[in-house]
Amino acid sequence: MANKGPAYGMSRDVQSKIEKKYDDELEERLVEWIVAQCGSSVGRPERGRLGFQVWLKNGVVLSQLVNSLYPAGSKPVKIPDPPPTMVFKQMEQIAQFLKAAEDYGVVKTDVFQTVDLFEAKDMAAVQRTLMALGSLAVTKNDGNYHGDPSWFMKKAQEHKREFTESQLKEGKNVIGLQMGSNKGASQAGMSYGRPRQIIS
């Protein structure tokens, strides 16, 4: 990884806009959830965007989080012991978490890029991914979620309806209001403008 110097001009403006999207209150809720989900062994970060980034940077806490959402026998991410110290190993650990999150059901558009976390490029994206993961865990309601269910919004679920043959046949006879009505409508006596003039 090359060291980056300070940003100037437009790139500085873009970076400051990205940083403004980071939510400190959301950070507190996510930390509470991660600790409730994984246990106190994961520790707690220093308050603020940088502390949150450093806490998650090596990918181990994230891996423990996604593993805790699965039943005891099936853990999707292998966690090395001791935690990885080499840069590419840490980035690989984050990538494993991201793949496991997608497999769990997080939509690709809600998944952050590895550099968003590792280089703190977009910590708001990291928060979005964790929110999506939490919402899915609450929605699945399979007993693997720990913490307050009100921390996350439940995702909308499919509500399939079954109709009998007679109900389907009955529906064919009804003209829905969105199709309009033809009662009393006719074009009798209608004229559009003047007749065509033929000049010789």
Side-chain angles (χ1 to χ4, degrees):
M1 294 260 161
N3 290 330
K4 297 189 310 275
Y8 297 101
M10 194 168 139
S11 58
R12 184 184 190 128
D13 291 344
V14 168
Q15 190 59 40
S16 71
K17 280 182 182 175
I18 289 171
E19 287 172 8
K20 283 178 187 167
K21 290 181 181 176
Y22 186 80
D23 186 344
D24 291 320
E25 288 177 28
L26 181 56
E27 174 199 311
E28 283 180 40
R29 187 179 346 152
L30 290 171
V31 169
E32 289 303 319
W33 175 52
I34 292 170
V35 171
Q37 191 70 39
C38 302
S40 57
S41 63
V42 294
R44 284 181 179 273
E46 287 183 31
R47 291 177 77 95
R49 195 172 63 83
L50 189 64
F52 193 59
Q53 185 253 348
V54 168
W55 187 48
L56 301 176
K57 187 176 177 179
N58 67 5
V60 171
V61 173
L62 292 173
S63 300
Q64 288 178 336
L65 175 65
V66 79
N67 280 351
S68 71
L69 296 172
Y70 283 87
S74 59
K75 303 293 182 202
V77 181
K78 188 174 185 290
I79 301 172
D81 189 34
T85 52
M86 294 165 65
V87 171
F88 76 94
K89 286 286 188 189
Q90 291 178 345
M91 291 181 86
E92 196 176 87
Q93 195 69 35
I94 294 169
Q96 285 182 35
F97 159 77
L98 294 174
K99 184 186 180 321
E102 271 188 59
D103 292 345
Y104 190 72
V106 176
V107 187
K108 213 173 189 68
T109 53
D110 285 338
V111 175
F112 67 86
Q113 300 294 308
T114 305
V115 292
D116 291 339
L117 170 59
F118 198 81
E119 296 177 3
K121 283 193 182 291
D122 189 356
M123 290 302 292
V126 175
Q127 287 184 322
R128 270 195 314 275
T129 302
L130 292 173
M131 282 299 291
L133 189 64
S135 293
L136 271 169
V138 168
T139 304
K140 285 188 177 185
N141 197 16
D142 56 6
N144 293 319
Y145 174 83
H146 305 294
D148 187 345
S150 68
W151 287 340
F152 301 101
M153 300 258 302
K154 266 191 169 183
K155 294 220 181 264
Q157 293 176 298
E158 182 182 39
H159 184 65
K160 208 166 189 165
R161 291 176 172 84
E162 298 290 331
F163 295 103
T164 63
E165 281 298 316
S166 63
Q167 287 174 317
L168 291 171
K169 283 180 186 173
E170 218 173 281
K172 289 179 182 173
N173 300 331
V174 177
I175 297 175
L177 289 177
Q178 60 268 59
M179 293 178 198
S181 167
N182 65 354
K183 291 182 181 155
S186 109
Q187 291 185 333
M190 292 183 77
S191 64
Y192 293 97
R194 295 174 56 194
R196 187 170 168 196
Q197 302 292 317
I198 301 172
I199 302 171
S200 48

